[in-house]
Amino acid sequence: MEGLFLPLLLMLVVAIPLFLGSRKQKQAVQRQQELQNNLVEGDRVMTTSGLYATVADTSGDTTIDLEIAPGVVTTWLRQAVREKVEPIVEDDEADETESDETPVIESATEVETAKSDEDEKTEAEKAGPQVAPPLEHGKK
């Protein structure tokens, strides 16, 4: 009996983690399958490649149409949908309060500073974008 105890114990030590790992994997596959089957038009999703899109059509059994930009609809495999994401909610009140606030200038030095800042901005805008010179590989 003592000769069988050690091999049996080793088998249990190996078998239990294998069993628990496969159980977790089955549950994850089941959740993913439920997500893909429960998609409806208008849901925001993220694909496995990281593309955010809106579900446009779910009539296909193995495919789904995703709108990636206004008027641009592409067809994807359902398995490519990784997760459902919450739509972005813009806070209109915060935008209004930020745009309504104007800085109050109290002294003449502040007026001069504000004018010089505006002049610097316009000079930078006139110069256009800065472009780096091309890299020269292999030339010495």
Side-chain angles (χ1 to χ4, degrees):
M1 182 74 175
E2 251 180 62
L4 294 176
F5 182 70
L6 187 59
L8 184 62
L9 184 63
L10 286 173
M11 287 176 44
L12 283 175
V13 167
V14 171
I16 290 175
L18 287 174
F19 174 73
L20 293 176
S22 66
R23 186 173 165 201
K24 276 186 175 181
Q25 187 177 10
K26 285 181 184 178
Q27 289 175 347
V29 168
Q30 184 180 8
R31 282 194 305 269
Q32 190 68 19
Q33 191 70 25
E34 287 176 10
L35 167 75
Q36 292 168 357
N37 290 333
N38 293 331
L39 290 173
V40 294
E41 293 180 16
D43 284 346
R44 289 281 297 165
V45 295
M46 182 176 75
T47 64
T48 54
S49 60
L51 179 77
Y52 289 91
T54 304
V55 176
D57 184 27
T58 59
S59 61
D61 290 337
T62 58
T63 61
I64 189 168
D65 289 341
L66 299 177
E67 184 176 22
I68 57 176
V72 180
V73 178
T74 57
T75 303
W76 293 69
L77 287 174
R78 280 186 182 265
Q79 288 83 7
V81 176
R82 179 177 181 204
E83 64 185 69
K84 203 185 277 193
V85 294
E86 297 298 321
I88 300 171
V89 179
E90 295 181 10
D91 190 14
D92 293 335
E93 295 175 10
D95 293 339
E96 289 177 5
T97 57
E98 290 175 6
S99 62
D100 290 343
E101 295 177 8
T102 55
V104 177
I105 300 174
E106 297 178 1
S107 67
T109 57
E110 290 181 15
V111 171
E112 291 174 8
T113 307
K115 286 182 182 179
S116 65
D117 289 343
E118 289 176 9
D119 292 339
E120 289 175 10
K121 288 178 187 176
T122 55
E123 289 173 9
E125 290 172 359
K126 289 178 186 176
Q130 296 180 353
V131 179
L135 296 174
E136 297 187 22
H137 297 285
K139 292 186 179 179
K140 290 185 178 183

